Amino acid sequence: PDRPARHRWADAAVAAVAASGYGLGEMLAQRVAAHPGRTLFADGPFPGAPRWSFAHVSRRADATAAALLTLEADPRVAIVSENGVDSACLDLACLLHGLLVAPLSPHLSPGELAGAFDALSVNLAVAASEETLRRLREAARRVARPFRVVLLDEAAELAGDGDVVLGEALAALDEAALPALLARAPRRPLHETCTVLFTSGSTGGQKGVAFSMENLVTKRFARAAALPFVGEEELLLCFLPLYHTFGRYLEMLGTIFWGGTYVFAGNPSLDGLAAGLAEVEPTGLVSIPIRWAQLEARARAAAGEAPTPEAARSALRSVVGGRLRWGLSAAGWLAPQVFRFFQAHGVELCSG
């Protein structure tokens, strides 16, 4: 109801996490038990896009972790890929089962990739495109420790000697052997580093930011305190990548926390985003400042000169859909007029 009450609630939640050992595994298991058939991931904003339920994602994550454990006794995974269901499930597989994981931008140079791999002793590198595979081949000549390439199914035809295709590794699993394989996974304490995100390097070289499971889970409760009106009916249209803090933590893990639905936006262009907004009609959107400014400009153009408040609201809804209630402008400056325009017409746009 007010800031002091939210702080008391968040402090109690953080203390409960620390005392109980509550992690993402327990969180996802609770959501599966509550609504196993609800859609967690929709693989695109277009009609008929494949949908993955909470139960389906949980099973896929377990199988993926088991497959990785057949490749390395202690998998240390770098996911060098744009956003997609397969890479998201692979990320979750590592987080849920204590496998060290780092999502990395596929736009990093071979030297930057090699630096990150050496810092984390990466032994499995995941790729989904020919260009990323080329960069990994070059990085392999620079690293101190060799690594294996794991290809997502969309890049299966690119596999070379020693490479692993994830779909083939999953198909080779004996389902009865999954419990024994998963029992071999590391059991990391809540306070131990489980994942690393790298900065963009815009201020003098990329830096690895370490997160523990305690960080990830308490962050969810803190976000819930900051966004008390966000809840289970949330439908997020998501185009920020998993190597972006908002894309991975607020959108993907937040969707699990809230029991909502995460729709992969696919094409991140303005036209692609606009088409997705019209098709999906999300309740929430996290986007970069320039996209919010462009959406505002489209709405103002649709409203015409000197519109009435009703005309401006109608024009905005024609651009962002009828259900958008809240949004975050992520990681950069945005003109106050843009915030005020959205807030004046029913979208609580905040600064990330």
Side-chain angles (χ1 to χ4, degrees):
D2 53 42
R3 183 178 295 272
R6 290 196 293 274
H7 275 270
R8 288 196 301 274
W9 178 84
D11 288 345
V14 169
V17 168
S20 67
Y22 184 81
L24 286 177
E26 288 77 13
M27 183 184 295
L28 181 57
Q30 287 177 345
R31 304 306 181 264
V32 170
H35 32 64
R38 177 179 293 172
T39 297
L40 171 54
F41 292 153
D43 194 12
F46 45 86
R51 292 177 170 267
W52 296 50
S53 69
F54 275 78
H56 186 178
V57 170
S58 179
R59 290 194 300 270
R60 174 66 177 236
D62 287 349
T64 299
L68 296 176
L69 287 161
T70 66
L71 303 177
E72 292 285 347
D74 180 16
R76 303 176 70 84
V77 183
I79 304 174
V80 192
S81 171
E82 295 291 0
N83 212 4
V85 170
D86 286 340
S87 58
C89 286
L90 201 150
D91 191 20
L92 277 176
C94 296
L95 294 174
L96 292 169
H97 293 283
L99 315 183
L100 185 77
V101 60
L104 295 170
S105 168
H107 307 294
L108 293 178
S109 69
E112 290 170 325
L113 289 172
F117 285 18
D118 283 345
L120 302 179
S121 299
V122 165
N123 51 29
L124 296 174
V126 180
S129 73
E130 185 173 8
E131 174 57 23
T132 300
L133 186 58
R134 183 193 69 76
R135 296 182 190 214
L136 289 178
R137 301 282 192 232
E138 176 62 28
R141 292 193 280 271
R142 307 185 185 198
V143 293
R145 171 179 176 164
F147 60 87
R148 297 182 73 178
V149 172
V150 178
L151 292 166
L152 300 183
D153 290 1
E154 62 205 75
E157 71 279 1
L158 303 174
D161 291 342
D163 296 342
V164 177
V165 177
L166 180 60
E168 295 175 1
L170 289 169
L173 285 176
D174 177 0
E175 190 169 345
L178 253 62
L181 285 169
L182 293 175
R184 288 161 35 185
R187 292 291 176 262
R188 299 184 188 279
L190 281 189
H191 63 271
E192 184 178 308
T193 296
C194 67
T195 187
V196 177
L197 278 186
F198 282 83
T199 66
S200 63
S202 60
T203 56
Q206 60 178 359
K207 303 169 184 68
V209 183
F211 294 85
S212 68
M213 182 59 63
E214 190 172 42
N215 294 151
L216 303 191
V217 176
T218 56
K219 192 177 180 71
R220 304 280 51 78
F221 288 95
R223 286 290 190 218
L227 299 168
F229 50 84
V230 177
E232 285 196 357
E233 299 305 315
E234 295 303 329
L235 177 66
L236 302 184
L237 178 65
C238 307
F239 73 90
L240 293 177
L242 295 180
Y243 50 84
H244 188 295
T245 179
F246 279 93
R248 191 186 194 205
Y249 295 137
L250 180 58
E251 292 183 331
M252 184 181 75
L253 297 185
T255 297
I256 294 173
F257 177 90
W258 286 310
T261 297
Y262 177 118
V263 180
F264 291 86
N267 184 348
S269 70
L270 175 60
D271 287 340
L273 177 60
L277 287 168
E279 178 62 38
V280 174
E281 293 198 293
T283 59
L285 177 68
V286 183
S287 189
I288 54 179
I290 191 173
R291 289 287 180 265
W292 287 111
Q294 290 167 333
L295 291 172
E296 184 228 13
R298 283 199 172 192
R300 287 189 184 275
E305 294 292 333
T308 64
E310 293 75 15
R313 180 181 291 257
S314 177
L316 178 60
R317 289 301 168 188
S318 72
V319 173
V320 301
R323 295 188 295 179
L324 191 67
R325 297 186 294 114
W326 67 278
L328 288 181
S329 178
W333 185 85
L334 182 64
Q337 71 177 42
V338 180
F339 288 104
R340 292 180 183 131
F341 179 80
F342 281 94
Q343 291 167 358
H345 301 300
V347 178
E348 187 62 32
L349 178 58
C350 305
S351 173

